[in-house]
Amino acid sequence: MRILISNDDGVSAPGLAALHAALADYAECVVVAPDGDRSGSSSSLTLDRPLHPITLPNGFISLNGTPTDCVHLGLNGLLAEEPHMVVSGINMGANLGDDVLYSGTVAAALEGRFINGTSLAFSLASRQVDNLPTAAHFARLLVEAQAQWHLPARTVLNINIPNLPLDHIRGIALTRLGHRARSARPNYVVDPRGKPGYWIAAAGDAEDGGIGTDFHAVMQGYVSVTPLRLDRTFNEAFGALEGWLEELH
């Protein structure tokens, strides 16, 4: 078993080190991660400059690019052998509901969709490292379990771990994505030289966070496991559009 590990918090992030430590004695693990924080980069690729991988003293490969760049290179020639699966994280901060649209953590896992094994993205619902061992425990547990799954091709699992000690976790819940309310307006600022700008505001609160959602599971102390797929086709809209489009001819 060969595992490609990446993240969006950067190659020096504590969550990445914890994930590698949790899996290193289970599989042959190779880390390819951004050289700095690339949170919110989604599935962007770097197309305006070359990418330069650098192997660090701990063996991790640092890349001057996005999480998707890291996995893309890892699957397409950077490594001597193709990995069997991609595991991303452990992100410091939850990736719930609409967060998956922006998350570099989830995007790294999505880029692993071309290989046969299921890709997994792990996030801890905290910016603090106190309960990082809890997230590492479930990362190992679920990566080991994936050999028993028979999921459709190109399935990605988005996994969020509550910010709790291990003995306070109530279980693992299969969930759907919830939805957030619209975020607050960007914050207008003026720098010391008088140049105006904006800080993007925090994400909105859970608007659809009821029973069965990832929001609800994490709030109740459960690890949420949400299967994702890349196909965003809105099939329910076909009926409304077909007749309307025919009238345009």
Side-chain angles (χ1 to χ4, degrees):
M1 169 69 75
R2 290 186 299 277
I3 298 177
L4 172 59
I5 298 175
S6 193
N7 75 343
D8 72 355
D9 286 340
V11 72
S12 299
L16 184 72
L19 180 60
H20 180 266
L23 301 178
D25 67 343
Y26 170 72
E28 178 187 337
C29 296
V30 179
V31 173
V32 184
D35 59 2
D37 190 343
R38 299 292 190 278
S39 297
S41 57
S42 188
S43 290
S44 60
L45 286 169
T46 300
L47 304 176
D48 61 346
R49 55 182 170 80
L51 298 168
H52 301 288
I54 299 173
T55 301
L56 303 180
N58 63 358
F60 292 5
I61 299 173
S62 173
L63 191 74
N64 60 327
T66 68
T68 301
D69 290 329
C70 294
V71 177
H72 186 82
L73 288 188
L75 298 183
N76 294 286
L78 177 63
L79 306 180
E81 296 182 274
E82 182 173 293
H84 296 110
M85 67 182 303
V86 172
V87 181
S88 180
I90 298 167
N91 191 66
M92 303 307 294
N95 278 303
L96 300 165
D98 306 79
D99 298 343
V100 302
L101 294 172
Y102 310 104
S103 168
T105 305
V106 175
L110 285 171
E111 190 64 14
R113 66 191 180 276
F114 298 105
I115 56 180
N116 292 328
T118 300
S119 298
L120 296 88
F122 291 98
S123 301
L124 174 65
S126 176
R127 303 288 180 187
Q128 305 301 316
V129 300
D130 303 57
N131 291 311
L132 194 50
T134 302
H137 169 84
F138 283 101
R140 174 61 178 260
L141 185 70
L142 289 164
V143 167
E144 284 187 344
Q146 62 84 32
Q148 305 169 28
W149 303 334
H150 301 284
L151 295 171
R154 303 194 174 196
T155 300
V156 172
L157 297 184
N158 184 43
I159 299 149
N160 283 273
I161 300 97
N163 182 34
L164 295 170
L166 183 58
D167 59 359
H168 285 56
I169 298 292
R170 299 177 65 186
I172 302 175
L174 183 62
T175 60
R176 67 172 177 84
L177 292 178
H179 293 286
R180 290 190 183 277
R182 187 173 179 174
S183 63
R185 294 172 62 88
N187 296 312
Y188 178 78
V189 295
V190 179
D191 72 16
R193 296 179 182 273
K195 186 176 182 180
Y198 294 88
W199 279 104
I200 297 295
D205 295 329
E207 187 174 57
D208 172 15
I211 295 174
T213 67
D214 48 2
F215 286 104
H216 186 268
V218 170
M219 286 293 294
Q220 295 300 312
Y222 291 88
V223 174
S224 74
V225 178
T226 307
L228 306 179
R229 62 177 180 179
L230 186 65
D231 184 0
R232 297 182 184 174
T233 305
F234 188 15
N235 293 290
E236 289 80 358
F238 272 67
L241 285 171
E242 283 173 342
W244 178 74
L245 292 174
E246 288 174 1
E247 294 175 2
L248 295 180
H249 292 301

